[in-house]
Amino acid sequence: MATREKKRNPVAPFTTSTVQQESSRKLRFSVSALWGWRSGCMKASAGQRGLVGLITYMRTDSTRVSDDALKDVREFIAGDRFGPEYLPPAPNIYKSKKDAQDAHEAIRPTTSRTLRKWWRST
Protein backbone atom coordinates (compact mmCIF):
# COMPACT_ATOMS: atom_id res chain seq x y z
CA MET A 1 0.00 0.00 0.00
CA ALA A 2 1.47 3.32 -1.07
CA THR A 3 1.16 6.42 1.04
CA ARG A 4 1.04 9.90 -0.36
CA GLU A 5 0.39 13.38 0.91
CA LYS A 6 -3.09 14.73 0.48
CA LYS A 7 -3.64 18.45 0.10
CA ARG A 8 -6.33 19.86 2.36
CA ASN A 9 -7.72 23.36 2.09
CA PRO A 10 -8.78 25.24 5.21
CA VAL A 11 -12.50 25.54 5.82
CA ALA A 12 -14.25 28.89 5.47
CA PRO A 13 -14.66 31.13 8.54
CA PHE A 14 -17.66 30.47 10.76
CA THR A 15 -21.08 31.88 10.07
CA THR A 16 -23.94 31.57 12.56
CA SER A 17 -25.22 28.34 11.05
CA THR A 18 -21.81 26.68 10.66
CA VAL A 19 -20.75 27.46 14.23
CA GLN A 20 -24.02 25.96 15.48
CA GLN A 21 -23.52 22.84 13.37
CA GLU A 22 -19.91 22.30 14.45
CA SER A 23 -20.56 23.02 18.13
CA SER A 24 -23.35 20.45 18.08
CA ARG A 25 -21.38 17.86 16.11
CA LYS A 26 -18.01 18.15 17.84
CA LEU A 27 -18.83 19.47 21.32
CA ARG A 28 -22.41 18.20 21.73
CA PHE A 29 -23.55 21.74 22.58
CA SER A 30 -27.23 22.54 22.40
CA VAL A 31 -28.18 25.81 20.72
CA SER A 32 -28.86 27.40 24.12
CA ALA A 33 -25.45 26.24 25.44
CA LEU A 34 -23.74 27.75 22.40
CA TRP A 35 -25.53 31.07 22.83
CA GLY A 36 -24.62 31.11 26.52
CA TRP A 37 -20.99 30.59 25.58
CA ARG A 38 -21.30 33.29 22.93
CA SER A 39 -22.58 35.78 25.48
CA GLY A 40 -19.57 35.07 27.66
CA CYS A 41 -17.19 35.60 24.76
CA MET A 42 -18.90 38.80 23.68
CA LYS A 43 -18.70 40.27 27.18
CA ALA A 44 -15.52 38.74 28.58
CA SER A 45 -13.88 40.56 31.47
CA ALA A 46 -10.47 42.11 31.00
CA GLY A 47 -9.82 43.22 34.57
CA GLN A 48 -9.14 46.95 34.84
CA ARG A 49 -10.03 47.58 31.19
CA GLY A 50 -13.64 46.58 31.78
CA LEU A 51 -15.56 44.44 29.33
CA VAL A 52 -13.74 43.33 26.20
CA GLY A 53 -15.20 41.08 23.54
CA LEU A 54 -13.20 38.01 22.57
CA ILE A 55 -15.10 37.28 19.35
CA THR A 56 -16.77 39.41 16.70
CA TYR A 57 -20.53 39.64 16.20
CA MET A 58 -22.08 36.18 16.36
CA ARG A 59 -25.10 36.60 14.08
CA THR A 60 -23.71 36.69 10.58
CA ASP A 61 -24.05 34.87 7.29
CA SER A 62 -20.87 36.30 5.79
CA THR A 63 -17.50 34.57 5.37
CA ARG A 64 -15.75 37.92 4.77
CA VAL A 65 -12.87 38.86 7.08
CA SER A 66 -11.74 42.48 7.34
CA ASP A 67 -8.41 43.59 5.87
CA ASP A 68 -7.22 44.75 9.31
CA ALA A 69 -7.98 41.33 10.81
CA LEU A 70 -6.15 39.54 7.98
CA LYS A 71 -3.11 41.79 8.44
CA ASP A 72 -3.16 41.23 12.20
CA VAL A 73 -3.36 37.44 12.02
CA ARG A 74 -0.72 37.24 9.27
CA GLU A 75 1.66 39.19 11.53
CA PHE A 76 0.81 36.80 14.37
CA ILE A 77 1.59 33.72 12.26
CA ALA A 78 4.77 35.10 10.69
CA GLY A 79 6.28 36.66 13.78
CA ASP A 80 4.95 35.56 17.12
CA ARG A 81 4.28 31.89 16.87
CA PHE A 82 5.14 29.95 13.75
CA GLY A 83 7.48 31.87 11.45
CA PRO A 84 7.29 33.13 7.87
CA GLU A 85 7.58 29.63 6.37
CA TYR A 86 4.07 28.90 7.67
CA LEU A 87 2.53 32.01 6.15
CA PRO A 88 0.78 31.48 2.80
CA PRO A 89 1.73 33.96 0.08
CA ALA A 90 -1.80 35.38 -0.01
CA PRO A 91 -4.75 35.10 2.39
CA ASN A 92 -7.60 32.74 1.54
CA ILE A 93 -10.68 34.59 0.35
CA TYR A 94 -14.02 32.79 0.58
CA LYS A 95 -17.18 33.64 -1.31
CA SER A 96 -20.35 34.23 0.66
CA LYS A 97 -23.65 32.78 -0.49
CA LYS A 98 -25.65 34.80 -3.01
CA ASP A 99 -28.32 35.74 -0.47
CA ALA A 100 -25.86 36.62 2.32
CA GLN A 101 -26.45 40.12 3.65
CA ASP A 102 -22.75 40.65 4.40
CA ALA A 103 -23.48 43.38 6.95
CA HIS A 104 -21.07 41.83 9.47
CA GLU A 105 -17.86 39.96 8.90
CA ALA A 106 -17.34 36.29 9.78
CA ILE A 107 -17.12 35.10 13.39
CA ARG A 108 -13.48 35.35 14.54
CA PRO A 109 -11.34 36.41 17.52
CA THR A 110 -11.43 40.19 17.89
CA THR A 111 -7.63 40.60 17.77
CA SER A 112 -4.55 38.41 17.61
CA ARG A 113 -3.76 39.66 21.14
CA THR A 114 -6.63 37.42 22.22
CA LEU A 115 -4.91 34.51 20.46
CA ARG A 116 -1.54 35.40 21.99
CA LYS A 117 -2.93 35.32 25.54
CA TRP A 118 -4.68 32.04 24.92
CA TRP A 119 -1.63 30.50 23.23
CA ARG A 120 0.68 31.49 26.10
CA SER A 121 -1.69 29.91 28.60
CA THR A 122 -1.63 26.52 26.82
Side-chain angles (χ1 to χ4, degrees):
M1 178 184 259
T3 59
R4 60 186 171 123
E5 282 192 31
K6 184 176 181 180
K7 184 177 178 180
R8 291 179 53 192
N9 294 322
V11 297
F14 280 128
T15 63
T16 303
S17 62
T18 57
V19 77
Q20 286 177 341
Q21 292 165 10
E22 290 299 300
S23 67
S24 174
R25 188 172 71 87
K26 291 184 178 174
L27 303 173
R28 305 278 188 229
F29 275 19
S30 65
V31 172
S32 60
L34 172 67
W35 288 97
W37 171 85
R38 176 212 58 102
S39 294
C41 286
M42 295 284 289
K43 301 172 187 170
S45 175
Q48 295 176 343
R49 290 181 45 206
L51 296 178
V52 174
L54 300 177
I55 61 171
T56 57
Y57 190 64
M58 184 81 166
R59 293 185 56 106
T60 182
D61 57 358
S62 175
T63 56
R64 178 181 51 83
V65 177
S66 73
D67 292 338
D68 291 339
L70 285 173
K71 181 180 176 233
D72 187 42
V73 79
R74 288 177 66 82
E75 288 172 0
F76 172 71
I77 291 169
D80 288 355
R81 187 62 185 185
F82 301 104
E85 63 272 15
Y86 289 95
L87 189 65
N92 295 325
I93 306 297
Y94 298 92
K95 291 183 181 180
S96 292
K97 293 181 181 179
K98 285 183 182 179
D99 57 346
Q101 292 185 11
D102 207 34
H104 299 280
E105 64 179 313
I107 301 167
R108 62 169 179 82
T110 51
T111 67
S112 67
R113 287 188 301 279
T114 306
L115 290 172
R116 288 182 185 106
K117 289 178 184 176
W118 175 81
W119 206 278
R120 288 185 186 125
S121 68
T122 58

